[in-house]
Amino acid sequence: TDAPLPPLAPGLPLLGNAIQMGGDTVRFLAGMYQQLGPVFRVRALTRELVILGGLDANRFMAQAGDSVLSGSEFFGGLNDELDSTLVFPALDGDEHRYYRKLFRPSYSRDAVAGRFDELMALTRRRMATFAVGERIQAVPTMQQIITDQLGYALAGSVSGEYFDDLRGTLSTLIATKLMKSAPEFMLRLPNYRRKRERSQAFMRQLLELHRAHPHAENGDLIDAALRATGYDGQPLSIKDLEAIGFGAFFAGMDTAAHTTSFTLYLLLKHPAIMRQAVAEIDDLFAQEAFTFRDLRHMKTLHADVIEGMRLYPVAPIMPRHATQTFEFGGYRVQQGAHIMMVTALTHYLPEHFPNPETFDITRPTPAPFTFAPFGLGAHTCMGAGLADVLIMLTLATLLHRLAIALDPPDFEMEVIGVPVPNPGPKFHIRVTGVRGV
């Protein structure tokens, strides 16, 4: 194509758009979309990125994007650091489809069907440490709860004493290998090396435990990995098995936990909606047992989760590189260009969501390709269904057991963009009382 390069977003000398990209990234990019259209370039220090966003971009990603875009370069650094080949987002084509088919059942909501009592018990165990009147930092608390649930569901074990090691390892990997917001020498620092080594030791413990006590055919992710044959027809290497184990705990440590935190914030900011949600939750717990369908029938809570994902998507961007030159929106995207496919940009466009900055749980079902909190195309998050269950269960268990409030009561959240969108360290809740048992 002889089409011109996409327009360049205005920015500061040297810094470019680095400051905006480190804050509420998608809202900034949605503003640039309104000025420049569905394809444009931004600069962040020495990096130049091509932004694709809007309805046409989402449709392109869902239908054809995987034929010209790849995640191997962006996510390949994780494979290098973990000495593995099985960081799933770094895979493409037939190999990606092979492993996705192999492990998708382990990440599905069906994997936890009938195990709601155990998952809720993990949340209650964490809440039992809270005292009435205690001020609690919301985000790390939700990270601990969701990571416990993920570990139990996918690997048969909670992280326990290894939680800080796993969280530290993940945050450093994201900063150095993905976001490149930190220099790679951090990977050689003693603190990171110690956390990574302890995390790897934990993975080896899990593998040994599963080898010694294999589950039936419908076991968890670790069981599936130990039984699996790789794309090359060989058994998976120990490093690949460790990487799959890491994935069990990394899968929602940031994403599902931050969605839970955002949803909780929205409920606390809207007391009338909170009262409706709590009434539904109490009705749910009045039943002897309940299913995923019962969770989804809590219309207020589920609508709050969905609207929270729209307002505050935690996986709003699919980072890619162009495997060939192609034309989009009348502009040329060069082979090798670093792409940010902003699937959630449509969430902030009034033509798709009227008054997009307004929290509204009565919105109608969104049109195709306009609501994409889990990505689009072949690399859509395969744990989306499982995340939905864990978020709903966590919020329902928390709000049935405890009465909580924002602290301070007039707190206004400011979205932090790194490592992924989150409510930030200033978001606190205070336990004001004990409700159900």
Side-chain angles (χ1 to χ4, degrees):
T1 173
D2 58 359
L5 291 175
L8 182 65
L12 297 172
L14 300 178
L15 290 176
N17 310 108
I19 296 175
Q20 299 98 321
M21 296 293 286
D24 197 341
T25 308
V26 185
R27 281 179 170 81
F28 162 66
L29 295 176
M32 288 296 97
Y33 168 93
Q34 300 285 10
Q35 296 180 37
L36 303 174
V39 54
F40 54 92
R41 291 174 293 149
V42 299
R43 288 185 301 108
L45 300 176
T46 60
R47 302 179 69 202
E48 182 173 287
L49 305 167
V50 176
I51 308 300
L52 298 179
L55 180 60
D56 289 342
N58 281 6
R59 186 181 290 114
F60 163 73
M61 187 66 212
Q63 297 174 346
D66 290 300
S67 64
V68 295
L69 301 176
S70 169
S72 61
E73 182 176 318
F74 185 82
F75 292 100
L78 296 182
N79 271 329
D80 294 340
E81 178 63 12
L82 297 176
D83 195 20
S84 167
T85 61
L86 278 189
V87 173
F88 297 150
L91 303 177
D92 292 308
D94 290 340
E95 185 176 10
H96 173 257
R97 284 187 286 272
Y98 174 84
Y99 286 113
R100 189 178 179 90
K101 181 178 180 181
L102 195 63
F103 294 116
R104 182 188 294 154
S106 300
Y107 280 95
S108 73
R109 68 186 184 209
D110 294 334
V112 295
R115 303 169 69 187
F116 288 0
D117 286 344
E118 297 98 311
L119 293 171
M120 290 188 295
L122 294 173
T123 306
R124 292 192 186 101
R125 189 182 308 163
R126 183 71 61 181
M127 290 190 299
T129 65
F130 303 159
V132 174
E134 183 176 356
R135 188 173 191 253
I136 298 165
Q137 195 175 10
V139 173
T141 300
M142 294 304 111
Q143 284 183 312
Q144 289 180 315
I145 291 172
I146 292 293
T147 303
D148 282 351
Q149 293 180 347
L150 281 168
Y152 178 77
L154 297 174
S157 177
V158 300
S159 56
E161 64 181 280
Y162 296 99
F163 172 75
D164 287 335
D165 301 299
L166 290 165
R167 183 171 63 173
T169 300
L170 176 61
S171 62
T172 303
L173 287 174
I174 290 175
T176 56
K177 292 294 185 178
L178 299 187
M179 303 304 296
K180 301 189 185 300
S181 58
E184 293 211 5
F185 77 77
M186 290 187 65
L187 300 173
R188 299 191 294 272
L189 295 179
N191 185 50
Y192 166 74
R193 304 301 296 180
R194 182 173 59 254
K195 290 180 183 295
R196 180 189 158 180
E197 287 167 6
R198 280 178 51 83
S199 297
Q200 288 178 312
F202 179 47
M203 294 305 114
R204 289 192 290 271
Q205 289 178 24
L206 290 178
L207 292 170
E208 291 168 6
L209 182 63
H210 281 72
R211 286 194 180 101
H213 305 283
H215 293 82
E217 186 176 346
N218 61 346
D220 58 29
L221 175 67
I222 305 299
D223 293 306
L226 288 170
R227 291 193 302 265
T229 299
Y231 184 68
D232 60 0
Q234 301 299 314
L236 300 182
S237 71
I238 183 64
K239 291 299 183 182
D240 284 341
L241 290 170
E242 287 178 5
I244 291 170
F246 276 122
F249 292 89
F250 289 172
M253 182 179 285
D254 282 338
T255 52
H258 291 169
T259 297
T260 307
S261 300
F262 279 128
T263 305
L264 183 61
Y265 169 79
L266 288 168
L267 285 168
L268 291 168
K269 291 295 286 187
H270 298 85
I273 296 176
M274 170 71 94
R275 288 191 292 271
Q276 294 176 28
V278 168
E280 292 178 348
I281 291 167
D282 290 346
D283 288 344
L284 178 77
F285 278 89
Q287 302 175 202
E288 290 187 9
F290 54 84
T291 65
F292 174 72
R293 182 172 297 179
D294 295 319
L295 285 176
R296 293 290 294 270
H297 281 170
M298 291 190 295
K299 294 182 179 180
T300 302
L301 182 60
H302 186 250
D304 185 75
V305 173
I306 296 300
E307 181 68 347
M309 288 180 179
R310 185 195 68 79
L311 269 174
Y312 303 115
V314 298
I317 296 169
M318 300 179 74
R320 293 290 184 267
H321 74 274
T323 56
Q324 63 188 65
T325 299
F326 64 94
E327 186 175 325
F328 179 81
Y331 292 100
R332 180 176 81 252
V333 179
Q334 288 286 109
Q335 181 179 8
H338 296 285
I339 310 292
M340 294 181 75
M341 178 62 233
V342 193
T343 56
L345 191 147
T346 47
H347 295 191
Y348 305 114
L349 301 182
E351 58 265 38
H352 306 305
F353 297 94
N355 301 311
E357 293 296 337
T358 301
F359 174 66
D360 182 3
I361 65 171
T362 67
R363 293 184 186 276
T365 301
F369 307 115
T370 61
F371 180 70
F374 295 108
L376 289 164
H379 286 80
T380 301
C381 175
M382 63 180 173
L386 177 60
D388 197 17
V389 171
L390 298 186
I391 292 164
M392 294 282 286
L393 270 182
T394 298
L395 290 168
T397 307
L398 173 66
L399 296 176
H400 180 65
R401 182 75 177 90
L402 298 177
I404 59 175
L406 280 174
D407 192 352
D410 60 351
F411 172 73
E412 294 291 335
M413 183 187 65
E414 183 177 336
V415 176
I416 307 298
V418 178
V420 299
N422 67 91
K426 296 181 181 179
F427 176 27
H428 287 78
I429 57 176
R430 188 174 295 277
V431 178
T432 59
V434 177
R435 300 186 66 254
V437 294

